[in-house]
Amino acid sequence: MDAKFRLESSFQRCEKNGLQRENPISDLLMNEKSLKELKKDNSILIDESMPVLKNLHPYLVSAGHVAILSDHKGNILLSLGEPKSLTKMQKYFLQPGSNWNEETKGTNAIGTAIIEKRSIRVHGGEHFLMQNEMITCSASPILSESQEIIGIIDISGVCHSEIPYALALTSMAAEAISNRLIVKAFRQKSSSTPKIFYLPNQIPIGETKSFPLGIYAECEPMQKCLRLASKVAPTNHTVLLEGETGTGKEEFAKFIHQKSQRSMESFIAINCGSVPEALIESELFGYSGGAFTGASVKGNIGKFQIAAKGTLFLDEICSMSLRMQAALLRAVQEKKISPVGSNKEIPTNVRIIAAANQDLNEMVKQGKFRSDLYYRLKGITISIPPLRERTDLKGLILDVLKDLDENSYSIDEEAIELLKTYDFPGNIRELQSILLQASFQTDDFLITGATISALLESKETSHFSKSSCEISTHSLEDLEKEKILKVLKLFNGNHSKASKELNIGRSTLYRKLKKYDLL
Ligand SMILES: Nc1ncnc2c1ncn2[C@@H]1O[C@H](COP(=O)(O)OP(=O)(O)OP(=O)(O)O)[C@@H](O)[C@H]1O
Ligand SMILES: [Mg+2]
């Protein structure tokens, strides 16, 4: 169902409910006591939403918009924004204690998102009540693990200063809050049999059992990757997925897990760059009761044991600290782990899939990645091509558009041709973002060449400013370090030849190597 049709259905519901467009906005507000009780009942939702709402704040300030959190019935629990903006919105009773369900307020983002159970933008005259035609609102439902609505996140303000992509912001915020709530619930449950697994930075990224396999691959290099992935999937070989950011490494990891005999077991992803240094061993291998200050008395199991007979996906291995590399090497090599604070050795039977978005081989040469671990993880390597090397862009564009909003959006040939000329440094993720932005800029669901051209032009400008900024932040020290590394490589690490080439004394070279941690 497209957005226009959804709004039409909402209007029909309002008429059926006896509302009239000329009706005044209901000024009913719950009293302080009831609001306090409602907030108490929703305290977990409020606690988990606050950090996300605060993150939204900078996007709201210049447009004078406010962010709103409501419960599952449309009762506003809190609103956040500049004092002037909050006062402005009070004119429309967009404030705590007011109810914005569709029955009382007519078609509106909060109430209609509750009924439609999806993100919705209601702009100006699209509101059923004419008195609301000066405001623009975008709302997204916060869903529980079982897809029930827990609350609504909304961004509202006056029409003439609309925030571009407000709906994208609310939908990302709602998803982030849902994730936080799932993680919180998970943590409160028994720690031994979790169903949702999450990165150390607390973003759930995978569930056990099945994933939809959404790999679009209609060109030879992608087909080759898919063939290789299908071939290696049923084996126990370690797989290294190489590819630029956004090329689909995680998608491939899930594919391999799904096609393996381990598919009924867990798929655990761990972002190697974001495990806090002090928690590396306990995150990976768990800990025994009371192993360190703050540890639970019952102890906890680590990712290796959670993954058990399943797959452990080591994401972003290029950002792994040396300490983590050492810890992992032992586990991968010996296929045994020891929880922190215990001298028990537990055999592991996980299948490891690793992903890297930089040239690991080069990192090994530079001493940034242990070669012993590299060769253990390398296993079967699958190099996923960047978008600019793919010849199935048109089909991929249509595939991504379908994901955006069922079959609502179409795109003309000119737009596709323009996209073919773009480099896509962020690959599929960037394509998704461009098409999402474009979809918000069309009024008739057709993405045209003009829209894409404007978006690509603005990207060029920002790339330009980015690169000029990079030049200015690229310090002389960085350049010097790079030069030293190059020369050392040229002379196979021979200090005296390198210092001659660099036109500096050996002791100066030594001092610099020490300074840049290159010894
Ligand atoms: N072949 C594909 N067809 C359709 N969508 C895809 C494909 N590959 C990836 N995607 C989508 O592109 C996005 C980025 O993919 P993914 O997260 O797997 O990339 P990544 O290589 O892990 O990126 P990063 O290095 O930044 O973590 C996801 O939304 C994913 O669903
Ligand atoms: Mg990834």
Side-chain angles (χ1 to χ4, degrees):
M1 209 196 297
D2 69 33
K4 274 187 188 161
F5 190 71
R6 281 201 290 274
L7 288 177
E8 270 170 31
S9 318
S10 168
F11 265 53
Q12 282 163 10
R13 281 195 297 271
C14 296
E15 277 156 8
K16 237 186 178 168
N17 285 336
L19 276 183
Q20 289 188 348
R21 296 206 67 194
E22 304 74 31
N23 285 0
I25 312 171
S26 150
D27 57 358
L28 263 182
L29 281 180
M30 62 178 75
N31 61 33
E32 285 288 315
K33 193 168 163 247
S34 313
L35 180 59
K36 213 169 155 188
E37 267 166 26
L38 189 71
K39 282 186 171 176
K40 208 170 139 204
D41 291 344
N42 286 280
S43 61
I44 299 179
L45 173 65
I46 295 175
D47 287 351
E48 295 306 313
S49 301
M50 273 320 277
V52 179
L53 285 169
K54 281 182 184 155
N55 282 344
L56 278 183
H57 189 245
Y59 298 96
L60 311 174
V61 179
S62 62
H65 282 227
V66 300
I68 286 168
L69 174 73
S70 89
D71 71 358
H72 65 291
K73 291 181 178 159
N75 293 307
I76 297 184
L77 298 167
L78 52 94
S79 54
L80 207 103
E82 293 299 289
K84 242 165 82 182
S85 320
L86 291 170
T87 314
K88 210 185 254 175
M89 286 301 107
Q90 279 176 10
K91 271 202 262 169
Y92 302 91
F93 299 97
L94 269 164
Q95 67 190 95
S98 171
N99 181 288
W100 274 76
N101 71 30
E102 211 186 64
E103 275 175 32
T104 48
K105 295 281 196 305
T107 307
N108 76 87
I110 297 176
T112 308
I114 291 176
I115 291 186
E116 299 283 350
K117 212 173 171 182
R118 60 197 301 161
S119 293
I120 201 148
R121 166 181 172 264
V122 181
H123 184 76
E126 290 171 348
H127 284 96
F128 186 83
L129 297 184
M130 281 154 69
Q131 279 196 3
N132 283 331
E133 69 186 8
M134 300 300 285
I135 54 174
T136 180
C137 309
S138 299
S140 301
I142 301 164
L143 300 174
S144 70
E145 206 178 341
S146 52
Q147 302 300 297
E148 300 296 319
I149 295 187
I150 308 170
I152 293 283
I153 195 99
D154 166 279
I155 292 180
S156 289
V158 286
C159 283
H160 61 78
S161 63
E162 195 187 6
I163 300 177
Y165 326 124
L167 195 61
L169 285 177
T170 57
S171 84
M172 283 191 285
E175 204 176 320
I177 297 168
S178 297
N179 287 340
R180 293 178 67 94
L181 288 164
I182 291 170
V183 168
K184 191 171 172 90
F186 162 67
R187 286 194 162 160
Q188 282 168 351
K189 276 192 225 157
S190 138
S191 59
S192 57
T193 51
K195 286 209 186 81
I196 300 278
F197 305 102
Y198 52 92
L199 306 169
N201 58 5
Q202 302 191 346
I203 302 166
I205 69 163
E207 234 171 299
T208 47
K209 317 292 185 259
S210 64
F211 314 99
L213 299 176
I215 298 185
Y216 184 86
E218 292 299 324
C219 63
E220 186 41 33
M222 279 298 287
Q223 288 276 332
K224 198 173 143 201
C225 293
L226 216 50
R227 279 198 298 271
L228 196 51
S230 308
K231 211 166 163 189
V232 74
T235 73
N236 270 330
H237 290 303
T238 300
V239 180
L240 175 63
L241 298 164
E242 284 181 341
E244 291 178 12
T245 181
T247 44
K249 296 183 290 298
E250 193 178 317
E251 226 37 67
F252 266 89
K254 290 175 183 171
F255 175 88
I256 294 170
H257 172 77
Q258 190 79 350
K259 293 257 166 189
S260 74
Q261 281 136 7
R262 299 168 179 258
S263 63
M264 295 310 286
E265 306 292 337
S266 318
F267 174 89
I268 307 294
I270 181 159
N271 185 329
C272 300
S274 54
V275 187
E277 208 53 14
L279 296 180
I280 288 171
E281 285 84 1
S282 58
E283 279 283 333
L284 293 175
F285 314 130
Y287 56 85
S288 60
F292 48 86
T293 323
S296 127
V297 274
K298 281 194 262 160
N300 209 348
I301 58 172
K303 296 284 192 282
F304 267 84
Q305 272 181 285
I306 300 174
K309 298 175 201 148
T311 304
L312 188 61
F313 176 44
L314 300 174
D315 202 3
E316 299 191 17
I317 57 170
C318 305
S319 347
M320 207 190 292
S321 66
L322 287 169
R323 177 166 163 188
M324 184 160 176
Q325 291 180 30
L328 257 181
L329 179 68
R330 235 179 308 126
V332 175
Q333 204 158 262
E334 290 162 24
K335 293 195 171 15
K336 278 185 205 143
I337 53 135
S338 288
V340 175
S342 139
N343 44 22
K344 250 194 335 197
E345 288 205 316
I346 303 168
T348 73
N349 173 25
V350 288
R351 200 258 183 94
I352 291 188
I353 302 181
N357 58 10
Q358 284 172 42
D359 186 349
L360 263 190
N361 202 12
E362 193 53 38
M363 288 184 69
V364 170
K365 282 185 197 155
Q366 292 178 3
K368 290 180 185 158
F369 202 91
R370 294 178 69 127
S371 60
D372 39 12
L373 182 62
Y374 171 60
Y375 289 109
R376 294 262 166 200
L377 294 181
K378 201 163 148 47
I380 305 299
T381 304
I382 302 180
S383 303
I384 306 169
L387 212 48
R388 60 186 170 279
E389 285 172 17
R390 291 176 59 165
T391 50
D392 58 350
L393 187 64
K394 181 174 177 179
L396 183 62
I397 290 171
L398 300 178
D399 193 67
V400 171
L401 276 180
K402 217 160 84 190
D403 276 353
L404 275 187
D405 195 353
E406 285 152 26
N407 293 316
S408 299
Y409 293 99
S410 48
I411 183 162
D412 69 16
E413 281 301 322
E414 192 195 341
I416 292 177
E417 287 310 310
L418 276 168
L419 285 168
K420 281 186 184 166
T421 63
Y422 182 61
D423 243 16
F424 290 103
N427 294 293
I428 304 181
R429 196 172 292 112
E430 188 175 13
L431 174 67
Q432 289 171 331
S433 138
I434 291 177
L435 292 176
L436 179 68
Q437 291 187 30
S439 71
F440 277 86
Q441 288 176 11
T442 91
D443 290 324
D444 52 6
F445 296 91
L446 174 69
I447 296 171
T448 62
T451 309
I452 294 293
S453 159
L455 279 172
L456 295 186
E457 249 170 53
S458 68
K459 272 185 174 288
E460 297 268 290
T461 342
S462 62
H463 276 159
F464 173 74
S465 47
K466 193 174 157 229
S467 59
S468 53
C469 166
E470 267 166 11
I471 288 166
S472 61
T473 54
H474 236 282
S475 67
L476 275 177
E477 287 188 335
D478 287 344
L479 297 173
E480 186 179 61
K481 183 176 167 186
E482 213 174 288
K483 175 84 181 167
I484 292 175
L485 276 169
K486 256 190 205 152
V487 174
L488 274 175
K489 199 173 152 195
L490 191 70
F491 293 103
N492 290 324
N494 185 314
H495 286 187
S496 82
K497 285 184 184 165
S499 54
K500 248 186 218 146
E501 174 69 17
L502 289 162
N503 214 5
I504 53 177
R506 280 190 60 180
S507 56
T508 313
L509 175 63
Y510 183 78
R511 222 179 42 245
K512 288 188 188 292
L513 290 174
K514 208 166 161 195
K515 175 178 164 191
Y516 297 129
D517 219 1
L518 297 173
L519 279 175

